[in-house]
């Protein structure tokens, strides 16, 4: 989980950089063309006989339309990653009707095996992806199957990024977004689909233009809110939401003004709101989450409550490290302890 969490909030962190870019240029980013995917890990969703699932009207769709109107172009596609040859784009893929059978009678055991593999090492995650891919054609409109397919795309895209295969990483990310849209067209109240859709939106920011990244920030938050409402006992969701609130609260006045020129209602939050989300995650996973403790401390530091912040830092430093990502978190904890150790009571 820690490897996954270290990548979840790319959207908001890139928002700060992108708003700075907007200060010096008004030119829209050129649309990206879809890169071919490697044969390993991925078979493009567009190969599934051109089929999709029709999405019923929902509040999320209405919000997407509002974002397009705010951006000044009602005809702008939300994800512009289609090939020049006219391949069906992500935003309209699910507008065709299809009826597909659900997973057969061994689905419970199948899903149990998939969940175990996805929690395993790289080789096991690859195996999970391959197993899901082999059953994709007949199950792509079953939400229980689809959210696992999205998660498999995510863990494999992390591996692709680690080995420097950018084309494969990009293809997996946007396949995951496409699968998410398909799943939500069948069940728009499926918590894990909303959760993993938000995760994939966060990872997509490296491959989008400036305005698309900012719009994704709104959609990211909206899907998180739905997921939290439907799955209130998931600590990871509160951590993700806390990170969103924290990064938005740290935007400067100038950055907010620039954002307000693009959107009628620029994002807003406070350190107190961020801390409340991190505390909710802590209550669900008490005393075992180093990165969450770090961000509680960072919120308290921002609120100038240094004595309480150092207590959380001391708790965090006492937890071990099980991954390179946790080692980087541990290093930041040590730096903050060195700076604020004088506030120990």
């Amino acid at each position: 989980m820690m490897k996954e969490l270290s990548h979840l909030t790319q959207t908001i962190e890139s928002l700060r950089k992108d708003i700075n870019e907007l200060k010096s240029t008004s030119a829209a980013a050129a649309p990206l063309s879809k890169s071919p995917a490697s044969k390993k890990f991925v078979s493009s969703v567009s190969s599934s006989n051109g089929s999709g699932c029709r999405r019923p009207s929902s509040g999320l769709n209405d919000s997407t339309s509002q974002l397009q109107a705010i951006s000044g172009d009602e005809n702008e596609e939300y994800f512009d990653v289609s090939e020049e040859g006219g391949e069906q784009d992500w935003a309209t893929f699910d507008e065709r009707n299809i009826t597909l059978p659900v997973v057969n009678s061994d689905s419970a055991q199948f899903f149990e095996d998939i969940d175990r593999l996805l929690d395993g090492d790289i080789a096991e995650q690859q195996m999970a992806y391959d197993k899901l891919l082999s059953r994709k054609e007949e199950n792509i409109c079953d939400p229980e199957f689809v959210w696992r397919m999205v998660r498999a795309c995510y863990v494999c895209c992390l591996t692709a990024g680690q080995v420097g295969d950018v084309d494969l990483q990009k293809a997996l990310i946007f396949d995951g977004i496409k699968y998410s849209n398909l799943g939500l067209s069948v069940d728009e109240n499926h918590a894990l689909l909303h959760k993993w859709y938000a995760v994939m939106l966060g990872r997509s920011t490296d491959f989008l233009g400036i305005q698309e990244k900012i719009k994704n920030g709104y959609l990211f938050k909206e899907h998180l809110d739905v997921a939290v409402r439907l799955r209130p006992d998931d600590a990871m969701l509160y951590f993700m939401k806390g990170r969103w609130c924290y990064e938005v609260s740290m935007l400067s006045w100038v950055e907010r003004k620039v954002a307000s020129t693009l959107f009628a209602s620029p994002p807003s939050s406070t350190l107190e709101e961020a801390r409340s989300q991190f505390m909710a995650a802590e209550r669900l996973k008490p005393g075992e989450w180093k990165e969450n403790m770090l961000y509680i401390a960072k919120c308290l530091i921002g609120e100038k409550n240094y004595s309480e912040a150092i207590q959380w830092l001391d708790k965090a430093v006492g937890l071990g490290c099980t991954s390179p990502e946790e080692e980087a978190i541990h290093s930041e904890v040590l730096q903050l302890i060195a700076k604020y150790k004088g506030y120990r009571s």
Side-chain angles (χ1 to χ4, degrees), residues 3 116-127:
K3 180 173 77 170
R116 175 181 54 79
L117 292 170
L118 287 173
D119 286 332
D121 58 25
I122 291 175
E124 290 173 318
Q125 291 168 355
Q126 167 74 63
M127 187 182 301

Side-chain angles (χ1 to χ4, degrees), residues 40-41 153-170 172:
K40 189 176 182 181
F41 292 131
C153 286
Y154 178 75
V155 296
C156 289
C157 92
L158 295 183
T159 301
Q162 291 170 2
V163 300
D165 192 336
V166 177
D167 288 342
L168 176 57
Q169 183 183 29
K170 175 183 173 182
L172 286 163

